[in-house]
Amino acid sequence: MNKAVKRGYVLYLLIIAFLVGVVLLIYGFVINGQTWSSNRANKHIYSGGELAAAGAIYDRNDKVLAQTVEGERIFNSDNEIRKATLHTVGDTAGFIAAGVHSAYKSTLSGYSFIDGVYRLKQNGVGNDIKLTIDAQACKTAFKALGKYKGTIGVYNYKTGEIVCMVSAPTYDPKNVPKDINEDGLDKYEGVYLNRFLSGVYTPGSIFKVITSACAIENLPDIHTRTFNCDGKYKTNSGDIICRDSHGKLKFEGALNISCNSAFAEIAILLGSERLSQTVSDFGFNNTLKVGGVNTAKGSFNVDDATDCDLGWAGIGQFTTLVNPCRMMVIMGAIANNGNGVTPYFVESIITPNGTKKVVGSSTVSIKINSVTAQELKELMRSNVKNYYGDSRFKNLQMCGKTGTAEVKNGDPHSWFVGFSNRSDMPYAVVAVAENAGSGSGTAMNAANKVMQQILKTIE
């Protein structure tokens, strides 16, 4: 082989290596371009490690929640709205991963594969984002939680639009507390966590809705069967305690007064396999993709449970954990003829030249039997009419279920889940107040307040 041929081979190898390098470089830009452009070292976007230049964020009524003014990130002028919407909007330092400032940072910067963030550098702003949330409804929910940690969420179960998403504890992003990151301060425990999307809780008696669904589908005589409550339900492996001695009850009445004895018996009659299948059908142990954020998974495992364990699981105790957003979607599925529409909180993206791209869409994430959904709707409507009282939910035609979830440390968590049965108000709600006691107290009152605020917007 002469020298010319050898040099030809070397040249071919160099050309191939060059082309491979170009392909890898282009691939890197395609895959990582957004991440690189949003790096905190990029001074076009960040100042002192905090977001400074980006598009504006609006609520559904075009109320400004955050915007860039002269190179500085400015939040809404109302400090209660700032606190109420913090976990949706996010902070400029990026500690709140589920907030728009973090989950949609490349969108806010106006990044494109062709221009990078050139338009941000040129115009001083990126893409604007319009949210589905109502800032006033969030403010109402925030005030309704009062001193308690927890979360409240409301969405349109027909369209998937989240109109309220509040998490507490919170803080004012305009005036960040100096001691917020100090160890051992209970008032800021989990302050960067969006409890609605990323939290999990012991559900307590709201889980009886799931047990009811399983009973409707697997026990043909469930509506005529009689249960007896003397304050506890005895099993061969322990007792399930009820808060009262309710005497003889039918299924509807047992759900109305939330009888632990009756529902522990129902859970044991159903067995772990059938109850686990219903839990799976309702998507308990899966995540939901809510915009750019994955919700936390719930947990339900009774594979090796004793009868006593299964009885406790059937009333929402044992090791069961649920995500609040998931419970809201389940409520929406019951209200919506069995179709659980996936929630979203980003409505549209508006470019600096005024082009609007609609983001949200009403996809179905869970589907339950329509007959089961109708029976559950009637049972939950009965809870309000015959036990809680329609006076607690004026003009809402509410369907709902309370929960008082026993936890290891402190008072029980207060829960309420439900939805309006009015055709002109297709909204489902979830409210959790940590260590606030009975579900018929703080959580129910908070749910009513935010639903009343939403009702004002449609009347």
Side-chain angles (χ1 to χ4, degrees):
M1 186 179 294
N2 59 42
K3 289 183 179 180
V5 173
K6 289 182 179 179
R7 289 172 181 170
Y9 281 133
V10 171
L11 183 59
Y12 284 139
L13 289 173
L14 288 173
I15 292 171
I16 291 170
F18 174 76
L19 292 174
V20 169
V22 170
V23 169
L24 290 175
L25 181 62
I26 293 172
Y27 177 79
F29 274 117
V30 171
I31 299 300
N32 301 308
Q34 288 189 5
T35 303
W36 293 339
S37 70
S38 300
N39 189 283
R40 294 185 183 281
N42 190 340
K43 294 183 180 180
H44 297 308
I45 303 175
Y46 291 93
S47 175
E50 297 200 3
L51 185 72
I57 302 172
Y58 301 92
D59 85 338
R60 68 185 298 110
N61 301 310
D62 296 319
K63 185 172 291 184
V64 176
L65 302 179
Q67 63 181 331
T68 294
V69 178
E70 297 181 354
E72 182 182 359
R73 203 67 177 158
I74 305 296
F75 291 83
N76 188 273
S77 60
D78 185 325
N79 77 309
E80 288 183 329
I81 286 179
R82 293 197 298 268
K83 291 178 182 178
T85 60
L86 173 68
H87 291 89
T88 305
V89 174
D91 64 313
T92 55
F95 293 123
I96 301 172
V100 172
H101 277 141
S102 290
Y104 291 86
K105 60 185 177 181
S106 61
T107 301
L108 284 169
S109 73
Y111 171 83
S112 74
F113 175 66
I114 303 298
D115 298 324
V117 292
Y118 173 75
R119 295 186 184 280
L120 177 67
K121 180 182 177 182
Q122 182 184 48
N123 302 321
V125 294
N127 297 320
D128 294 340
I129 292 181
K130 184 173 182 177
L131 305 180
T132 62
I133 67 164
D134 184 318
Q136 192 60 43
C138 291
K139 178 178 176 178
T140 300
F142 166 67
K143 292 172 70 174
L145 276 174
K147 65 180 181 179
Y148 296 106
K149 298 174 184 176
T151 184
I152 298 176
V154 181
Y155 94 135
N156 184 315
Y157 59 75
K158 296 285 188 183
T159 66
E161 298 167 287
I162 297 175
V163 294
C164 174
M165 178 164 58
V166 170
S167 182
T170 184
Y171 63 91
D172 184 351
K174 183 179 179 181
N175 301 291
V176 181
K178 293 181 180 179
D179 60 347
I180 193 170
N181 293 316
E182 288 185 12
D183 293 334
L185 291 180
D186 180 69
K187 63 180 177 178
Y188 295 127
E189 181 271 326
V191 72
Y192 299 126
L193 179 74
N194 184 327
R195 281 161 156 80
F196 176 72
L197 296 175
S198 305
V200 288
Y201 292 93
T202 300
S205 290
I206 64 164
F207 189 83
K208 289 170 183 169
V209 175
I210 312 300
T211 305
S212 295
C214 189
I216 289 166
E217 294 180 347
N218 293 284
L219 300 176
D221 65 341
I222 188 62
H223 291 289
T224 57
R225 186 184 286 266
T226 300
F227 304 92
N228 185 60
C229 172
D230 60 5
K232 66 177 67 172
Y233 183 75
K234 297 179 180 180
T235 75
N236 56 13
S237 49
D239 297 342
I240 293 89
I241 308 302
C242 194
R243 63 182 177 82
D244 206 346
S245 296
H246 295 120
K248 290 186 177 181
L249 297 163
K250 291 293 181 65
F251 179 49
E252 180 178 335
L255 186 63
N256 287 171
I257 62 175
S258 202
C259 177
N260 287 350
S261 296
F263 273 86
E265 182 178 347
I266 291 169
I268 293 168
L269 282 169
L270 290 166
S272 60
E273 185 175 340
R274 287 190 290 193
L275 196 53
S276 295
Q277 183 59 55
T278 298
V279 167
S280 178
D281 292 343
F282 277 73
F284 247 60
N285 298 336
N286 300 325
T287 64
L288 282 166
K289 189 77 171 180
V290 180
V293 181
N294 286 320
T295 64
K297 291 182 179 181
S299 176
F300 184 84
N301 188 339
V302 290
D303 291 347
D304 300 314
T306 64
D307 280 355
C308 184
D309 293 337
L310 185 58
W312 281 113
I315 63 171
Q317 296 290 156
F318 189 45
T319 60
T320 305
L321 295 171
V322 303
N323 169 254
C325 182
R326 169 65 65 178
M327 285 306 306
M328 183 187 72
V329 174
I330 289 171
M331 291 300 107
I334 294 169
N336 195 30
N337 199 36
N339 298 303
V341 175
T342 304
Y344 64 91
F345 57 89
V346 172
E347 188 264 337
S348 58
I349 298 166
I350 303 97
T351 65
N353 64 12
T355 303
K356 183 176 181 178
K357 177 185 176 184
V358 176
V359 177
S361 63
S362 54
T363 59
V364 173
S365 56
I366 63 168
K367 192 169 181 64
I368 60 178
N369 182 281
S370 60
V371 175
T372 302
Q374 182 59 37
E375 289 196 40
L376 289 173
K377 182 189 293 188
E378 292 170 1
L379 287 167
M380 294 179 70
R381 181 73 184 113
S382 174
N383 287 343
V384 177
K385 287 173 62 178
N386 299 323
Y387 191 62
Y388 312 140
D390 270 329
S391 61
R392 299 285 300 268
F393 301 98
K394 188 177 179 181
N395 298 324
L396 290 175
Q397 298 176 26
M398 202 71 181
C399 304
K401 182 71 187 80
T402 59
T404 306
E406 301 290 340
V407 291
K408 289 182 179 179
N409 300 315
D411 294 330
H413 294 336
S414 176
W415 276 92
F416 183 82
V417 293
F419 52 90
S420 172
N421 202 34
R422 286 177 51 155
S423 60
D424 62 344
M425 192 173 168
Y427 293 101
V429 61
V430 58
V432 191
E434 297 175 22
N435 307 120
S438 171
S440 61
T442 301
M444 181 186 282
N445 292 335
N448 175 56
K449 286 177 181 178
V450 70
M451 292 291 276
Q452 294 294 343
Q453 174 60 38
I454 294 168
L455 180 60
K456 291 178 183 178
T457 67
I458 67 171
E459 290 186 330

